[in-house]
Structure formats: structure tokens, C-alpha cells
Amino acid sequence: MAHLTLSGLTRSFGSEVILNDIDLDIQTGELIVFVGPSGCGKSTLLRMIAGLEKITDGTLEIDGQVMNDIPPSQRGIAMVFQSYALYPHMTVRDNMAFALNIAKKPKAEIDAAVDRAAKALQLEPYLDRLPNALSGGQRQRVAIGRAIVRNPKVYLFDEPLSNLDAALRVATRIEIAQLKEAMPESTMIYVTHDQIEAMTLADRIVVLANKGIAQVGSPLELYERPRTEFVAQFIGSPAMNLLPGKITATGPKTEVTLDAGGVAVTEIATTDTDMGRAVNLGIRPEDFVIADGDAIFEGEVEILEALGEVSLLYLPANMSVGEGAVSANQTHLIAKLPGIHDGLKGQSVCLTADPAKLQIFADGITMRR
């Protein structure tokens, strides 16, 4: 329903810059997810779009109109907050209709809008209940319905599922995905720290770090082709392993000899000038398999976490940690193997991985072209 253009968007408090020179183009009908570490400015950027935070510099355009000085109520935006913020003395119907009543819309129009939203969110049986008679997931659906009835140009979601328990998070996440499918022309911007939400909901993910945008792309693009060590470790759980080593053979296929002793052949092309260069070899835990012969890494399993569908193996290693990495004390290599492997604890294992899935980072930047 709306096309957003962020050009050089900056937010600062005095001399402290929170977000600097944000450039982003959001197409009509996209569901964009902002992710990043705590304090990176995800919610601040969302609130700037909503008009709840002042834009220090740059411009925000919605359908070609500059919105910097337009009041929030006139931007055609509806926002769903982390807190449900429902009126406890009002029924579900009255909560959803509140904004339209304030706008003095005709009763027939209000009733039709509420009924449509209630049907889309499966809230029809609860329209006459008070919020305290609803579950957490139902309350969040009411908050989403309150946004839908306004028929806004842009929907903003600020960590809407963070107050729900695990089962409700899954159910409500599916409902949001179904809602997006039912409204394909609606533009949605969603803030979360949950990678599963980001990977399953987003058309594109915007990774924020160091006061700016680290990378923008589809979920699988960020997972398979991260540009930096930070993005590589932030997307995916457990985080990508980064093993220090040196390039010992160049060409269409590059060989990396690890400081820990293993050798990996990748499908990344390098030139003679890269020979001997210090790099980090990136391997996702789920890409490891147990090797029968030559291995990239060999070590003793110190810790084994049996999760049923997968097992996490922790092997001591001299790991390299990129700037802003998920863990500042990453002392173990992690392998994520399908199934149950109880017998491996305390045993020495050899691990290898598909060369096509390996990454090489030099000075924190990918060498995959």
C-alpha cells in the first residue's frame, strides 16, 4: 500500500549518534524485518518512521511525500507495540473500534471494519469479552486487529511477540504470516531480536550494527552469503564458527590451513596475491558432518547437548571472534548434528563440511565474490 524511501536518515542525542546515514528503499507490499544486537537502533528507526522520534538529518518519504514534519496521526501508519496497551474496561470490539470512533466514522463502517479484522484474526468468538478474559496471544491479536481496522498505508510491529511464551509465539507468528498472505499489498516493517521470526516472516532482512546497516537481503541470502563476520555470526543459531588460519593454495578453489591443524578446501576463488594471507574460515554448526577420512577439524567432545532432533557438540578450539560477535568468549567449536549422539561425549571426532558451504573472511569481510 505504500513505498518508503529512507535517505541519509540520522538520529542523534546531542553529540551521541544513534543511527547514522541510513539509506533504505522499502517496496509496496514488502515485509521488512529489522534485526540487530541490543542497542543497535532497531526500535529507534521504527519510531522515526512512525513519527514518534525526531529525524535529526535526512529524509523519510512515503509514496513520494516527505514525512519529516508530518504528525504521526497523518502519516497513514498503524503501530503494534510490544505491550498490548488494551483498554481493560472495553470489550474486544470496542478496543478495535476505538480509533475509528475517535475519528467519528459512521457506525456501519466501523462495524464492517471490526468484523473483517476479527474474521481475519479468528477473534469473532471473543468480540464481547474484556481483555482480562483473553490469553496473551489473543490480546496481541486484538492489538493487531486495532491496527488493521484503520486500513493504514504501513504497519509497524515493535517486537510484538516478545511477551508471549514459546508455544504462543509460534502460533501468533504463523497468524502474522497468514495475515500478510491475506493482505499482499500491505507494507509491513517488523522489529525483532528473534532470528526465527526474522527468517520465517521477512521478504528482506535489514541487519543493523555500528549505527548503520550491515547488510540487507533475503533471509537465505544473508544466511548463505553474509558479507561480514558480524552478519555471519548474527544470522544463524548457534553462531557460525570462525576458525583462524592461512591461505595455502589459491585458484578457483582455495585451500585454508587452520591454526588448529586442519586443512579445508573451499569453492571460493582467490588469486596469487592472497597466498599466505591470514583469514578466518567460517563454518556453520549445522554444516558439519562426521568424517571417515580427512577432516577439517578434530577434537574431543567436551560437552554434548542432546535436544532430540539434533545434538550440539562442543569441541575446544582457538576460535576467532569478529567485531560485535554473538559471543565474546567463544572458546569452543560447535557442531550441530541431526539425531541423538549420546555416545560421542568424551570421544575424539573428525568433522568435515561441504566445500560449497564454507566461507572465508579476510579482515572481517567475505572473500566470496
Side-chain angles (χ1 to χ4, degrees):
M1 295 175 68
H3 174 210
L4 283 76
T5 303
L6 285 60
S7 303
L9 221 59
T10 298
R11 180 62 170 128
S12 60
F13 295 92
S15 61
E16 183 180 2
V17 178
I18 306 301
L19 289 167
N20 185 44
D21 201 24
I22 301 293
D23 292 320
L24 183 63
D25 194 63
I26 301 174
Q27 298 296 322
T28 299
E30 273 196 300
L31 197 162
I32 295 289
V33 175
F34 294 162
V35 298
S38 297
C40 71
K42 302 185 296 294
S43 293
T44 298
L45 183 55
L46 196 74
R47 290 171 64 84
M48 290 166 71
I49 294 171
L52 303 177
E53 288 278 357
K54 181 181 177 182
I55 296 173
T56 306
D57 198 6
T59 59
L60 165 67
E61 296 180 27
I62 298 179
D63 286 336
Q65 181 182 0
V66 177
M67 291 287 168
N68 291 39
D69 299 319
I70 303 297
S73 60
Q74 298 177 26
R75 295 191 179 193
I77 284 173
M79 192 163 180
V80 179
F81 296 90
Q82 179 177 343
S83 172
Y84 318 127
L86 302 178
Y87 295 106
H89 62 289
M90 292 185 180
T91 64
V92 168
R93 180 182 294 277
D94 291 339
N95 266 284
M96 293 172 65
F98 183 76
L100 299 183
N101 282 322
I102 291 296
K104 301 187 183 303
K105 298 291 184 180
K107 185 178 185 305
E109 181 182 335
I110 294 174
D111 290 343
V114 170
D115 289 342
R116 282 195 303 270
K119 183 177 181 180
L121 295 167
Q122 301 177 23
L123 287 171
E124 292 169 297
Y126 313 110
L127 285 174
D128 295 322
R129 293 191 187 184
L130 294 174
N132 62 8
L134 304 177
S135 69
Q138 289 165 345
R139 294 179 195 179
Q140 192 58 275
R141 276 187 276 161
V142 175
I144 295 171
R146 185 172 54 190
I148 291 174
V149 297
R150 295 178 55 196
N151 193 29
K153 292 182 179 180
V154 183
Y155 292 87
L156 306 181
F157 296 88
D158 191 5
E159 300 196 37
L161 309 185
S162 60
N163 286 334
L164 306 182
D165 62 36
L168 280 176
R169 287 177 75 100
V170 172
T172 310
R173 185 179 76 236
I174 292 172
E175 288 168 357
I176 292 175
Q178 291 172 334
L179 178 65
K180 183 64 180 72
E181 289 293 324
M183 300 189 300
E185 295 183 358
S186 297
T187 305
M188 298 182 179
I189 306 174
Y190 192 105
V191 166
T192 183
H193 62 272
D194 187 299
Q195 292 191 33
I196 295 177
E197 288 178 30
M199 295 292 287
T200 55
L201 291 175
D203 294 318
R204 288 189 297 156
I205 295 175
V206 178
V207 182
L208 296 170
N210 298 323
K211 305 177 183 178
I213 295 177
Q215 188 172 349
V216 180
S218 69
L220 289 181
E221 180 183 347
L222 267 60
Y223 178 84
E224 296 177 337
R225 296 290 187 271
R227 292 179 186 167
T228 66
E229 290 181 358
F230 172 81
V231 175
Q233 289 213 307
F234 193 83
I235 299 295
S237 181
M240 177 182 282
N241 299 291
L242 294 176
L243 296 166
K246 290 184 179 180
I247 294 177
T248 49
T250 60
K253 295 181 181 295
T254 299
E255 178 186 271
V256 177
T257 299
L258 303 177
D259 294 352
V263 176
V265 176
T266 76
E267 293 192 354
I268 297 171
T270 52
T271 64
D272 291 343
T273 58
D274 295 312
M275 181 66 74
R277 189 173 186 179
V279 297
N280 285 329
L281 181 72
I283 311 174
R284 293 204 177 275
E286 54 271 29
D287 289 335
F288 273 121
V289 295
I290 295 179
D292 294 327
D294 294 338
I296 294 175
F297 188 88
E298 181 178 359
E300 180 180 322
V301 179
E302 283 193 349
I303 301 170
L304 190 148
E305 295 179 343
L307 305 180
E309 76 279 14
V310 297
S311 296
L312 298 181
L313 280 57
Y314 293 78
L315 292 73
N318 177 24
M319 303 292 288
S320 179
V321 179
E323 182 180 355
V326 175
S327 172
N329 299 300
Q330 192 174 355
T331 58
H332 286 76
L333 176 142
I334 305 175
K336 186 176 183 179
L337 304 181
I340 299 172
H341 299 270
D342 279 342
L344 293 181
K345 185 175 181 180
Q347 301 296 312
S348 179
V349 296
C350 297
L351 299 171
T352 189
D354 183 348
K357 296 181 178 181
L358 301 179
Q359 307 286 341
I360 302 177
F361 298 94
D363 301 321
I365 308 297
T366 183
M367 295 187 72
R368 188 183 291 275
R369 296 171 174 82

